[in-house]
Amino acid sequence: MRAESGAIVSPDLIDAAIAHGLSGLEHYAGIPSTVGGALWQNLHFLSPAPERERTMFIAEVTRGAEILTAEGERRTVDVAYFELGYDTSVLHHRPDIVLAATFELAPAEPERMRRIVAENLEWRHARHPPLDSEPSAGSIFKKIEGIGAGRLIDECGLKGTRIGGAEITRRHANIFINTGGATAADVQALIVRCQEEVAARLGYRLEVEISRVGEF
């Protein structure tokens, strides 16, 4: 399945794949991302279903992509070119532009895929703030294996902490929401507050998962 980089993964690309009986993208239902963004950050999701309980990465279903290189050359590359890792890719270090990506999907029953989509959306709705009324940038800090960044922030009693228009949602301590008029500086100040509190009280160093552009 080929999709241009500006295509929306959920629900547009997922719905198109399901309509054609192709499986592999339904696991990313409810995650805000374009195709280009998915490759930039190696889009991933911890599947909640017991039989699929593992972190699933977009790298697993990506075959390759068409890119415009930093040198101005239009090329077709395979997935290995992107050096996809946890929250990272070669795109963080080279100003290449993804034009389109090709995904290798497998035949499956549409009804089964729709059930997976519904399960994942239900799981996310129960734990994450709704994007339409409480917009956010998703998880702020990288996962700390066996502990979880959100749990550490929660242990420090920081849920509900607000700086300017940015607030740590009470639904999930690793997600900051925009309560209205939040600026990048508000979010950055809240990031620093969490890092300082967790380091001082629990001894862990929180690493930022989101990408920041410009000076803060």
Side-chain angles (χ1 to χ4, degrees):
M1 186 176 193
R2 179 185 180 277
E4 294 184 348
S5 63
I8 304 298
V9 174
S10 179
D12 298 358
L13 194 62
I14 293 172
D15 286 350
I18 292 175
H20 286 81
L22 297 173
S23 173
L25 295 172
E26 64 273 13
H27 308 289
Y28 308 100
I31 305 176
S33 177
T34 60
V35 167
L39 289 180
W40 165 273
Q41 201 77 348
N42 195 9
L43 183 69
H44 59 272
F45 175 55
L46 176 60
S47 176
E51 69 274 15
R52 308 189 304 277
E53 194 170 345
R54 66 179 182 85
T55 301
M56 312 182 82
F57 294 87
I58 201 72
E60 299 176 43
V61 294
T62 302
R63 175 185 289 177
E66 298 164 33
I67 65 170
L68 184 65
T69 69
E71 295 74 34
E73 178 189 3
R74 185 165 183 154
R75 292 177 56 192
T76 298
V77 298
D78 62 19
V79 66
Y81 175 88
F82 291 100
E83 301 175 12
L84 294 165
Y86 188 92
D87 282 334
T88 189
S89 71
V90 74
L91 299 173
H92 289 215
H93 314 291
R94 282 180 56 86
D96 297 332
I97 297 172
V98 176
L99 303 175
T102 302
F103 301 101
E104 188 166 358
L105 308 177
E109 288 296 324
E111 198 54 44
R112 176 180 174 276
M113 290 185 280
R114 292 191 186 98
R115 187 168 63 250
I116 291 173
V117 167
E119 289 172 359
N120 289 354
L121 289 176
E122 183 180 358
W123 185 89
R124 290 183 66 82
H125 290 163
R127 293 163 178 79
H128 295 188
L131 287 172
D132 55 348
S133 58
E134 298 179 358
S136 75
S139 297
I140 296 293
F141 298 104
K142 292 182 180 180
K143 178 182 178 182
I144 298 178
E145 203 63 46
I147 304 168
R151 187 180 304 172
L152 296 175
I153 297 168
D154 194 12
E155 285 183 23
C156 291
L158 292 172
K159 276 186 177 178
T161 300
R162 181 172 174 173
I163 296 178
E167 179 183 295
I168 302 173
T169 175
R170 296 187 181 276
R171 285 176 180 255
H172 194 306
N174 196 21
I175 295 178
F176 301 173
I177 61 173
N178 181 359
T179 62
T183 65
D186 294 339
V187 174
Q188 175 63 14
L190 208 49
I191 286 171
V192 172
R193 172 76 183 278
C194 289
Q195 289 173 321
E196 291 177 346
E197 289 273 350
V198 168
R201 297 176 61 177
L202 303 175
Y204 289 94
R205 180 174 176 269
L206 296 178
E207 291 187 44
V208 177
E209 182 171 84
I210 59 174
S211 298
R212 290 169 290 185
V213 179
E215 298 297 324
F216 288 87

